[in-house]
Amino acid sequence: MNRPSKHIHADGFPSLSAFIASDRDNTAAIFKRFRRLAARNLLLLQSELAELEAKLDAFDQQDQESLESLQTLRNWEDYKAKNDHDSERIKLLLDVRAKMNEYREALISESAISLLPPPDRRTLKAFRTNFFHGPPGDGRSFPMLGGYSSSLYDDTEDLVVLHTSEPPDRLTTFVQDYFGYLFTEKAGHGDIVSPLVGYASGKRIAMFISILSIVLAALLLVGAILILHRTESEDLKLGLVALFTIIFAATIGLLTNARKAEVFGATAAYAAVLVVFVSGDIGSAS
């Protein structure tokens, strides 16, 4: 049985969309935020609302000139009866309602987008290499998209990634940067996407980091216990407890994303275990 031939996508929107979709970890879903346009849109919307509010205040000021009109401001049925559906006041209220909804939807959308993280440095480098058919700035490089779209990924500060997982810890970043080639896999969908970019499986790296973290934690605890058990000098034991505690705290603080309170808690628990071992019967000489 013959295997189906791999599909080579045409350069441009087809190849770029295939490249983004081929990333199984969804870290290549990088798009321009258009921060300046978003701010401009919000400024225009709030200016339009300011004008509508001023017009509504002017109508309210006119209605205060007579007791009959003033009474309509206290009762919606009277207000609606005085102003038919085609009156300027009713049209103004409808405009305020529509523009207010548009403005608040834009505010909420921009608030949600502002929480999206920027792309990972290494992923962005691979993305731009694929987008420009080579290293950006190379004389032979050219963008996948033409026209004004060719500069979409020039401003790296205005890019967001739709993958919103927690930022990688330092150990994961180190493995990705220097040993990512050990975890490469083929792109998804059975398509030939880009010969310039290799895919390092995030799941494989995460599993490796989990196993490595377990081994390090076990070594720091069991190794410290074995060394302390074979040490006879009480002063040396205290010095080793301090040394192992410092190494443990440095490992937690430098290689993980643990918060300060979590680092203090884990270090205190680790030190307590070593102190109990040293002061207990199991730690004393026969």
Side-chain angles (χ1 to χ4, degrees):
M1 182 177 180
N2 295 329
R3 295 182 179 178
S5 60
K6 294 184 177 181
H7 184 204
I8 301 178
H9 298 276
D11 194 42
F13 292 110
S15 59
L16 184 58
S17 58
F19 174 77
I20 293 174
S22 66
D23 184 6
R24 297 174 182 176
D25 298 323
N26 297 321
T27 57
I30 301 173
F31 300 95
K32 189 174 178 65
R33 179 178 172 181
F34 289 104
R35 183 180 304 168
R36 182 170 60 88
L37 284 181
R40 179 71 169 269
N41 181 51
L42 289 175
L43 288 173
L44 294 176
L45 285 174
Q46 70 178 7
S47 294
E48 291 181 62
L49 279 173
E51 289 193 7
L52 294 176
E53 185 179 30
K55 292 180 180 179
L56 187 61
D57 290 341
F59 280 131
D60 291 342
Q61 189 67 29
Q62 293 178 7
D63 290 335
Q64 294 182 25
E65 296 177 359
S66 65
L67 293 177
E68 180 182 358
S69 298
L70 188 61
Q71 181 63 26
T72 61
L73 297 178
R74 303 177 59 187
N75 189 299
W76 168 247
E77 293 297 331
D78 294 340
Y79 191 86
K80 185 171 61 173
K82 178 184 177 182
N83 302 284
D84 57 22
H85 188 269
D86 295 330
S87 67
E88 293 186 9
R89 285 175 171 81
I90 297 299
K91 288 182 178 180
L92 178 60
L93 290 177
L94 295 177
D95 290 342
V96 168
R97 182 179 302 169
K99 191 61 62 178
M100 180 64 72
N101 289 335
E102 182 181 358
Y103 176 66
R104 289 187 171 178
E105 287 179 0
L107 276 179
I108 294 174
S109 297
E110 185 59 23
S111 174
I113 292 175
S114 66
L115 298 177
L116 293 176
D120 177 72
R121 175 180 57 83
R122 188 174 182 83
T123 303
L124 180 59
K125 180 180 179 181
F127 186 98
R128 284 169 52 81
T129 299
N130 178 72
F131 181 77
F132 287 100
H133 300 90
D138 193 313
R140 296 172 295 178
S141 301
F142 62 96
M144 279 187 176
L145 305 181
Y148 293 108
S149 298
S150 61
S151 60
L152 283 175
Y153 295 97
D154 288 349
D155 186 4
T156 58
E157 300 296 328
D158 198 29
L159 300 176
V160 295
V161 60
L162 302 187
H163 184 64
T164 56
S165 63
E166 294 184 1
D169 53 73
R170 294 180 180 87
L171 182 57
T172 301
T173 302
F174 177 80
V175 172
Q176 288 176 343
D177 290 345
Y178 298 100
F179 300 100
Y181 62 91
L182 298 176
F183 306 92
T184 56
E185 64 178 9
K186 294 181 180 180
H189 308 290
D191 299 329
I192 298 177
V193 179
S194 175
L196 301 173
V197 178
Y199 288 84
S201 174
K203 293 181 180 179
R204 294 182 182 179
I205 293 178
M207 182 178 296
F208 171 77
I209 295 300
S210 298
I211 296 174
L212 182 61
S213 299
I214 294 173
V215 172
L216 284 176
L219 286 177
L220 285 173
L221 184 59
V222 178
I225 290 176
L226 291 176
I227 293 175
L228 290 173
H229 179 65
R230 294 182 176 275
T231 302
E232 297 182 358
S233 172
E234 298 297 330
D235 294 336
L236 183 57
K237 284 183 179 180
L238 293 177
L240 289 174
V241 169
L243 176 62
F244 284 126
T245 302
I246 293 174
I247 294 175
F248 181 83
T251 302
I252 296 294
L254 295 177
L255 301 184
T256 69
N257 286 335
R259 298 183 178 89
K260 293 180 180 179
E262 296 172 342
V263 173
F264 278 107
T267 304
Y270 178 81
V273 171
L274 297 185
V275 169
V276 170
F277 173 79
V278 170
S279 61
D281 294 335
I282 190 173
S284 60
S286 300

